[in-house]
Amino acid sequence: MAAREPLRELRGALCALLARVREGEPGEGREPFELPRFWDTLGQTLQVTSQEATKLSLAFSGPALTSAEDCRKLSEDVQSAVIAVATVYYWLPKGQGTTLRKMVRDATAEVVEGMIQLTETILSAPLDRLSQEQLISTGGVWAACEQVRNLPRDNQAAVASVLAACLGVVKDALEEMEHALVEGQDPYSDIMEDEELGFRGNRDIYWSEADRKLLSSCMGLMKASKACLKKVLGVVEAHGKADSPDHIAQLDDIADIANEISPSVDELALSMYPPVNELAVRLNAAKLASVLKKVLEITKTSHVCPPSEEGWVQFLTGAVDHNMNKIKNFTQGQL
């Protein structure tokens, strides 16, 4: 059991490091920052970390017990490898983009978390054999290291990745709501009757004709959200640049406001289920419309939107206004 004491110390050191990675801010280095060099060095530290995870796991996978001295050396090597990964993360200056930096920070934290999990698994595993949990935890460290290697390489690619993820969430929400509306009058038709919930005849689980007219305009707003994200993603991929502080900051502004679209779509969708509260629908629709118009305005005034792209910005702005005005007309009695 004494051989495992260094592992307990390692776990404590890694937990402290994880807190610093999550809370700390990268500093501006004195030397000129080179993004390719950053990624090359980070890749090297990740390879070492993967190897150290494998060595640590194998050392505690058989009947031959690891000595306290060997365990301490293994623990020190693991700690040094993980600290190296965190240190390279801290090289990445704020000027390279907050979107990219957050991705690298979160992925670095996952590497540290993976190593903590592996250490805890070994501490709780049998002494004489490699457990399934230990195999899974070792693979978890490998996967976390690989995830960092596969991150976007600059802020333009990072922002495009954020927009693509938001678009996926909005598509799912839109498809789910379209499916519910097509299913007929009962959006809960896939839920079995339950004594506690009451009989299926409860009118509160159905949409009225007035509800459906209101929901049609809400669906129009959700479709505009999907179109907006698709178009903004397209211009970021086509025209986005991470070659100057202004361009990088503009990309971050787009990502920050675009991140508000999918939660706003979800809130609107949830309020659309019966029994429909028209005031809640109107307020959630207004919030989504406001977010969409901000996204369109920020995109229009940035470098990703040359004059040739302004037509769709105007069209989608009009579509948002059109659907929002219809929602206001349907719910005017609620104010």
Side-chain angles (χ1 to χ4, degrees):
M1 296 302 290
R4 296 197 173 195
E5 186 57 34
L7 283 181
R8 296 186 182 90
E9 295 174 5
L10 172 63
R11 179 178 57 188
L14 292 177
C15 287
L17 177 62
L18 178 60
R20 291 198 297 273
V21 169
R22 284 175 172 163
E23 298 169 8
E25 289 288 345
E28 301 290 340
R30 294 180 181 177
E31 299 178 4
F33 179 79
E34 298 175 8
L35 201 55
R37 178 168 171 260
F38 165 79
W39 287 113
D40 286 346
T41 308
L42 187 59
Q44 292 167 17
T45 61
L46 290 165
Q47 184 174 356
V48 173
T49 300
S50 291
Q51 292 169 348
E52 292 301 329
T54 305
K55 286 163 60 178
L56 183 67
S57 189
L58 289 175
F60 290 92
S61 63
L65 295 179
T66 304
S67 68
E69 184 179 345
D70 288 343
C71 184
R72 184 162 299 281
K73 178 68 167 62
L74 283 166
S75 298
E76 289 173 354
D77 289 346
V78 167
Q79 185 174 341
S80 296
V82 179
I83 287 175
V85 174
T87 301
V88 177
Y89 152 64
Y90 277 108
W91 288 1
L92 186 62
K94 297 177 182 179
Q96 290 297 318
T98 57
T99 308
L100 177 66
R101 202 172 79 246
K102 183 179 183 300
M103 284 187 176
V104 178
R105 183 196 69 201
D106 291 349
T108 301
E110 287 195 25
V111 172
V112 184
E113 287 173 343
M115 198 66 85
I116 292 171
Q117 177 63 39
L118 174 58
T119 306
E120 290 176 344
T121 301
I122 293 173
L123 284 169
S124 61
L127 284 167
D128 59 347
R129 65 180 183 275
L130 180 64
S131 68
Q132 183 66 21
E133 291 79 9
Q134 195 169 320
L135 281 171
I136 293 170
S137 296
T138 307
V141 177
W142 298 342
C145 290
E146 189 63 24
Q147 178 179 305
V148 181
R149 293 190 190 100
N150 292 330
L151 287 174
R153 283 316 201 236
D154 61 23
N155 209 46
Q156 183 265 351
V159 170
S161 174
V162 166
L163 292 169
C166 293
L167 178 57
V169 174
V170 169
K171 279 182 177 178
D172 289 345
L174 183 58
E175 288 173 6
E176 183 178 325
M177 187 54 65
E178 285 175 336
H179 177 73
L181 286 165
V182 169
E183 283 297 293
Q185 296 294 326
D186 181 3
Y188 301 116
S189 57
D190 59 340
I191 299 176
M192 296 295 291
E193 194 170 302
D194 187 280
E195 291 180 4
E196 294 182 7
L197 295 175
F199 289 102
R200 306 289 303 148
N202 185 341
R203 65 175 300 278
D204 285 346
I205 65 172
Y206 296 96
W207 281 307
S208 67
E209 283 305 311
D211 289 340
R212 286 180 170 271
K213 289 178 181 178
L214 171 60
L215 299 191
S216 175
S217 297
C218 293
M219 292 295 290
L221 206 53
M222 291 175 70
K223 289 175 181 176
S225 304
K226 174 183 170 183
C228 177
L229 282 167
K230 189 173 182 180
K231 282 293 189 179
V232 174
L233 172 59
V235 294
V236 166
E237 290 179 332
H239 308 295
K241 296 177 181 178
D243 57 356
S244 72
D246 281 348
H247 287 164
I248 289 171
Q250 287 171 3
L251 289 168
D252 282 331
D253 288 342
I254 291 171
D256 288 345
I257 187 63
N259 265 324
E260 297 181 25
I261 294 180
S262 55
S264 299
V265 166
D266 285 341
E267 288 174 14
L268 176 58
L270 286 172
S271 67
M272 289 162 64
Y273 280 94
V276 174
N277 181 324
E278 291 188 356
L279 180 57
V281 170
R282 176 167 179 159
L283 292 174
N284 285 326
K287 179 182 176 183
L288 175 57
S290 174
V291 170
L292 291 175
K293 292 181 79 168
K294 283 182 186 175
V295 171
L296 292 167
E297 181 61 28
I298 288 172
T299 302
K300 182 180 178 181
T301 57
S302 76
H303 73 282
V304 306
C305 191
S308 60
E309 300 284 358
E310 289 181 2
W312 64 263
V313 175
Q314 294 173 355
F315 174 79
L316 285 176
T317 301
V320 171
D321 286 337
H322 173 73
N323 285 293
M324 193 60 225
N325 286 334
K326 288 175 70 176
I327 292 168
K328 288 178 180 177
N329 289 335
F330 286 127
T331 59
Q332 57 186 350
Q334 298 299 313
L335 295 179

